[in-house]
Amino acid sequence: MHTPINLVVLGPPGAGKGTQAVEFAQRHVIPKISTGDILREAVQSGAELGQRAKATMDAGGLVEDELMIAIARERLNRDDVKSGFVLDGFPRTVTQATALDEIMTGRGSLVVVDIAVPDDALVARLARRRVCGQCGHATSLDPTVEARCERCGGELVLRSDDTESIVRERLRVYAEASRPLVDYYSSRPTFRAVDGDQSPAAVGAAFSEAVDAILAGMPAGSGIPEEAGA
Ligand code: AP5
């Protein structure tokens, strides 16, 4: 049997988690689960979850652990994740990571890749990011080209939390609440960090290499790395 790839993508706001997660999930035909997308969809549809989360998201803060863990648990218990998944934006706190370990009990190891990028590059990137109001595709704004979505032709808009002051707040919150996740995972044989401060294609290649290196250490079918399983 194929080893399921249970992949967690870590990294600060704008690191390219979504960009790499979409690419990887499409290539491996596994679902990409983005808690940010789940929350934004709920905001857009007017669902109760969105009403609870919107103010926190717009201020650059983190939605409470209990709610996010419930969302992740429900999503990870659906049938389509049996052959693997890519998690983008969860976990974001050590409390969420501990809950994820519990959710994954008996389901094989997590493969964890951290995309590292310096803060100044992130602020510049997010100032250029526009998302399609129709299909949600994210792109970097090219000022010389008329701003329409390259995939569906929809209108490109600035995400409500991508203004410079909110981006700085998101980076502060990341440093305080989410960077400790690197320590939480880094001693595991299934963790790798990649340099995210290079072209998207170069990050993609480093990302795939990191996942391949981790999977090479796992006996086929078990989802358990050699060192940890020994
Ligand atoms: P979320 O949507 O997860 O936002 P984020 O983590 O801040 O990440 P981003 O989506 O901003 O960036 P990304 O790393 O995906 O980068 P991207 O690929 O788009 O969460 C939003 C909010 O929801 C949170 O602030 C919080 O309030 C709430 N939330 C979500 N999950 C939560 C949780 N688990 N717990 C609590 N609260 C939660 O790329 C960014 C830009 O750079 C794009 O324009 C892209 O085209 C470009 N780009 C990508 N790669 C490169 C590259 N290598 N070089 C140059 N440009 C690049």
Side-chain angles (χ1 to χ4, degrees):
M1 196 190 130
H2 230 282
T3 303
I5 305 176
N6 301 325
L7 175 62
V8 170
V9 188
L10 298 180
K17 301 182 294 297
T19 303
Q20 299 304 331
V22 167
E23 177 81 23
F24 191 92
Q26 280 174 354
R27 200 150 17 96
H28 291 266
V29 200
I30 52 179
K32 181 203 88 149
I33 301 168
S34 157
T35 46
D37 286 349
I38 291 171
L39 292 171
R40 277 185 292 276
E41 279 160 24
V43 169
Q44 213 163 14
S45 70
E48 194 202 329
L49 167 64
Q51 290 168 23
R52 280 177 71 179
K54 185 172 182 351
T56 305
M57 293 171 76
D58 283 349
L62 292 183
V63 176
E64 62 267 38
D65 283 334
E66 203 186 325
L67 183 57
M68 297 315 301
I69 291 166
I71 291 170
R73 187 186 301 281
E74 187 279 326
R75 184 63 189 85
L76 291 171
N77 280 331
R78 292 196 209 158
D79 278 350
D80 67 341
V81 300
K82 286 202 172 120
S83 51
F85 56 80
V86 184
L87 260 183
D88 159 19
F90 186 94
R92 246 181 164 93
T93 63
V94 170
T95 302
Q96 293 180 15
T98 310
L100 179 59
D101 281 340
E102 184 260 308
I103 293 167
M104 292 303 296
T105 304
R107 294 170 60 170
S109 291
L110 291 170
V111 169
V112 183
V113 179
D114 179 52
I115 304 179
V117 181
D119 279 8
D120 287 348
L122 296 169
V123 173
R125 259 188 212 182
L126 290 177
R128 286 195 306 269
R129 173 166 64 184
R130 295 296 180 275
V131 289
C132 175
Q134 251 167 245
C135 74
H137 175 61
T139 189
S140 231
L141 189 69
D142 176 350
T144 63
V145 174
E146 201 193 334
R148 303 299 299 188
C149 175
E150 61 195 353
R151 294 215 175 141
C152 74
E155 191 190 349
L156 297 176
V157 293
L158 184 73
R159 231 170 77 172
S160 57
D161 58 350
D162 274 351
T163 58
E164 184 172 344
S165 62
I166 300 299
V167 167
R168 298 253 177 224
E169 173 61 8
R170 286 161 62 200
L171 290 172
R172 191 195 65 74
V173 169
Y174 167 80
E176 190 180 291
S178 306
R179 194 168 285 138
L181 290 174
V182 175
D183 286 336
Y184 182 85
Y185 287 119
S186 62
S187 60
R188 299 186 185 186
T190 54
F191 173 89
R192 295 283 188 286
V194 299
D195 174 9
D197 195 12
Q198 39 181 348
S199 73
V203 178
F207 190 90
S208 289
E209 253 175 52
V211 174
D212 288 347
I214 294 169
L215 294 177
M218 292 179 170
S222 75
I224 300 182
E226 303 276 16
E227 272 174 65

